Amino acid sequence: MPVRCQQNPVLAGSATLAALGAMVLYFAEPSGYGKYTESQTPAAIRLPARAAWFLQELPSFVVPAGILAGQPRSLFSPPATVLLGLFCAHYFHRTFVYSLLTRGRPFPVVFLFRGFVFCMGNGLLQGYYLVYCAEYPAAWYTDIRFSLGVFLFILGMGINIHSDYILRKLRKPGEIIYKIPQGGLFTYVSGANFLGEIIEWIGYALATWSLPALAFAFFSLCFLGLRAFHHHRFYVKMFEDYPKSRKALIPFIF
């Protein structure tokens, strides 16, 4: 029996994402992992960073990919399938590439659990909406929203991956020291990796033209934007020679 779209769970999930983003801005505290692990959660049980990131990001790939796998295959897939494929591509990289290359600090289990639940819920929301609720005209592939959105998504993903590469090369395996990132968009902002991911999800929201994707883009802007702000403040405080012209997230502006 075919699954029918239930709008109420979609609206509730989207509202929850937007509310979580607003709460992040309201409390304005740095998340207790990475640079802030010791100050925010000094006594927390931790897992190695690679294992933690893998487990946290996994449901964001597995859940929508499972939904996608159950759809009929054709040479020319409908737009919703292609768009969900973009979402899966991002989280394939986060799960199977980024997590296995990261050199980050051990990760508090409590944040791993929160992240896992979030990724599970968001993966289900995005996958469910696109496969069972979204309706796109046959000409959606030529719509400016689709074209520009996919361009921004790919651009943002490229910025994110390149920025992560720069950060990874700052440390030798086993090192926990901090250095000033140089090159790429780090020339202009402290949170180049965060900016790339924010651009990705803005592009995704535009290409899907959907409430769940818009809510996720808003959450990402709040969460990653605040993280970029705290990173910038951390760098400025730690390094006397930190570039004065470098902003937190938006080149030349913020």
Side-chain angles (χ1 to χ4, degrees):
M1 185 176 179
V3 177
R4 297 184 63 182
C5 174
Q6 300 292 327
Q7 289 290 348
N8 287 341
V10 171
L11 293 173
S14 301
T16 300
L17 278 177
L20 287 173
M23 287 175 61
V24 166
L25 286 186
Y26 177 78
F27 290 108
E29 292 292 331
S31 298
Y33 65 91
K35 293 176 172 60
Y36 316 104
T37 297
E38 297 299 330
S39 62
Q40 298 293 313
T41 53
I45 300 172
R46 294 174 174 81
L47 281 181
R50 292 182 177 181
W53 278 107
F54 175 82
L55 292 173
Q56 175 181 282
E57 304 292 292
L58 186 62
S60 281
F61 172 73
V62 170
V63 172
I67 295 174
L68 204 57
Q71 302 311 300
R73 291 167 177 77
S74 61
L75 182 60
F76 297 103
S77 298
T81 302
V82 173
L83 291 166
L84 187 55
L86 291 177
F87 185 90
C88 291
H90 170 89
Y91 281 105
F92 178 89
H93 176 266
R94 296 291 293 181
T95 304
F96 298 105
V97 180
Y98 172 82
S99 67
L100 301 181
L101 294 176
T102 185
R103 296 174 181 173
R105 290 172 175 269
F107 202 96
V109 171
V110 63
F111 288 100
L112 165 60
F113 178 75
R114 292 179 190 175
F116 182 91
V117 172
F118 177 89
C119 289
M120 178 81 74
N122 187 52
L124 179 60
L125 174 64
Q126 305 299 333
Y128 177 86
Y129 175 82
L130 283 175
V131 170
Y132 300 117
C133 300
E135 296 180 2
Y136 296 102
W140 190 249
Y141 282 128
T142 59
D143 192 289
I144 185 61
R145 290 167 290 183
F146 179 86
S147 303
L148 180 58
V150 170
F151 170 76
L152 288 175
F153 182 90
I154 295 172
L155 174 66
M157 189 169 181
I159 292 171
N160 180 248
I161 292 172
H162 181 248
S163 300
D164 283 338
Y165 171 80
I166 291 173
L167 291 174
R168 197 162 56 245
K169 291 301 179 182
L170 288 176
R171 292 178 180 169
K172 298 176 182 177
E175 280 189 336
I176 307 181
I177 61 172
Y178 290 104
K179 301 175 184 177
I180 299 175
Q182 304 286 355
L185 276 181
F186 283 112
T187 304
Y188 306 101
V189 295
S190 300
N193 50 330
F194 304 128
L195 175 60
E197 189 163 352
I198 289 169
I199 291 172
E200 261 189 276
W201 297 126
I202 290 174
Y204 184 73
L206 183 60
T208 62
W209 205 247
S210 70
L211 183 60
L214 177 62
F216 183 42
F218 175 74
F219 172 83
S220 299
L221 175 62
C222 296
F223 183 81
L224 298 176
L226 183 65
R227 196 153 177 82
F229 169 77
H230 285 297
H231 272 42
H232 182 71
R233 191 166 65 175
F234 174 89
Y235 285 130
V236 169
K237 186 176 181 180
M238 172 165 279
F239 299 104
E240 292 183 1
D241 59 340
Y242 198 71
K244 302 296 183 184
S245 62
R246 190 177 297 186
K247 301 297 183 181
L249 183 67
I250 304 173
F252 314 113
I253 299 174
F254 170 74

